[in-house]
Amino acid sequence: MALSIVLGPRLGKFGPDGKVRAFPAHNIAFVVIGTFILLFGWMGFNPGSTLGATDLRISVIAINTNLAAIMGSATAMLFWYWKFGKPDISMACNGMLAGLVAITAPCAFVGPTSAVIIGILAGLVVCLGVLFNDNVAKIDDPCGAISVHGYCGFLGAISLGLFADGTYGAGWNGVGATSYLGQAGRGVTGLLYGDTKQFLTQVMGAVIVAVWAFGATFIVFKIVNAVKSMRVSKDVEEAGLDVPEFGLAAYPEDALHATEA
């Protein structure tokens, strides 16, 4: 978000009247394939982060991760269909990633029903985040990355403080080593299951991380941009950065067809 603000929107993103112009993906098949590659990678990211499978919690994490991804994708597609009359496959992909991001923090500490709810919330948040960035904040967010990783990451941190059910994490950071909420061996517990402090801790942590990450990044990019502009010239942006920046056409067949025409 900080870099998007410093760079400003891409040429043509907003019309003279401020109306948003969507930049369609060049290859929807690649979008879907890339999303499923990320889903596959998340199976190593979430279950693999336990660094141990002997307590079988790894299976719960895998199921929760998939449930949130599925519900995030379905919710985003249904919301877009309700809002604009067409089910947008790219938003469905963003919804899947949103569900994956939102379940990452609480994946080991919540049950499957909570994972479904978190996925639904993430699907809504990513759609509303895209609409907010475009229509209210006027921030050009290519691929919806700010909504997926920023807004839904924040949601994920808070979700742990809401939905953690106490079945896992006993003794973590000294919590519940002997007794926790009047019960020995109880794990991390969220607001809906009786622990207000865990929820407040998650909110505080999420806010601090967001303020620090945005603030520090904004300052660094402002300084770098003041020393040397990070934005390419108008001509280069209109022609494409492939040849000027990398010396190679990304889509040579397009140039071929244009020459033939």
Side-chain angles (χ1 to χ4, degrees):
M1 179 183 280
L3 182 57
S4 295
I5 292 172
V6 172
L7 283 179
R10 291 165 291 175
L11 295 176
K13 174 65 177 180
F14 300 105
D17 57 352
K19 189 175 180 180
V20 180
R21 295 172 177 169
F23 285 21
H26 81 278
N27 192 318
I28 291 295
F30 281 5
V31 172
V32 176
I33 292 169
T35 301
F36 275 95
I37 290 172
L38 277 167
L39 174 63
F40 180 76
W42 235 282
M43 291 302 100
F45 186 51
N46 277 6
S49 293
T50 62
L51 298 179
T54 54
D55 61 2
L56 299 182
R57 199 63 182 180
I58 193 170
S59 59
V60 175
I61 295 170
I63 293 298
N64 283 344
T65 301
N66 276 284
L67 285 173
I70 292 165
M71 296 310 299
S73 181
T75 302
M77 178 174 278
L78 289 172
F79 177 88
W80 221 250
Y81 182 78
W82 168 78
K83 181 75 175 173
F84 299 104
K86 295 290 182 182
D88 188 332
I89 188 65
S90 64
M91 278 309 301
C93 289
N94 266 351
M96 180 171 285
L97 297 180
L100 289 168
V101 169
I103 197 62
T104 294
C107 61
F109 307 99
V110 301
T113 302
S114 295
V116 168
I117 295 171
I118 291 168
I120 292 171
L121 292 174
L124 292 173
V125 167
V126 72
C127 291
L128 295 173
V130 167
L131 295 174
F132 172 79
N133 288 339
D134 280 351
N135 299 299
V136 180
K138 298 297 180 184
I139 297 173
D140 187 4
D141 178 19
C143 305
I146 295 170
S147 295
V148 170
H149 297 281
Y151 301 155
C152 291
F154 194 91
L155 169 67
I158 293 176
S159 292
L160 192 153
L162 281 172
F163 297 105
D165 57 14
T167 58
Y168 190 68
W172 284 37
N173 296 325
V175 175
T178 54
S179 180
Y180 177 36
L181 298 178
Q183 182 179 339
R186 187 176 181 85
V188 178
T189 304
L191 179 65
L192 299 180
Y193 292 86
D195 191 358
T196 306
K197 292 182 179 178
Q198 185 66 48
F199 173 71
L200 294 176
T201 300
Q202 295 299 131
V203 172
M204 180 178 67
V207 170
I208 290 172
V209 168
V211 170
W212 162 252
F214 177 84
T217 308
F218 185 81
I219 291 170
V220 168
F221 281 134
K222 264 292 189 182
I223 295 171
V224 171
N225 197 52
V227 174
K228 183 179 180 181
S229 176
M230 294 185 292
R231 180 119 187 192
V232 298
S233 67
K234 180 181 178 181
D235 291 339
V236 170
E237 186 170 344
E238 288 178 342
L241 276 67
D242 310 327
V243 175
E245 293 292 320
F246 303 103
L248 187 68
Y251 313 106
E253 68 277 6
D254 293 348
L256 218 72
H257 294 326
T259 305
E260 290 171 353

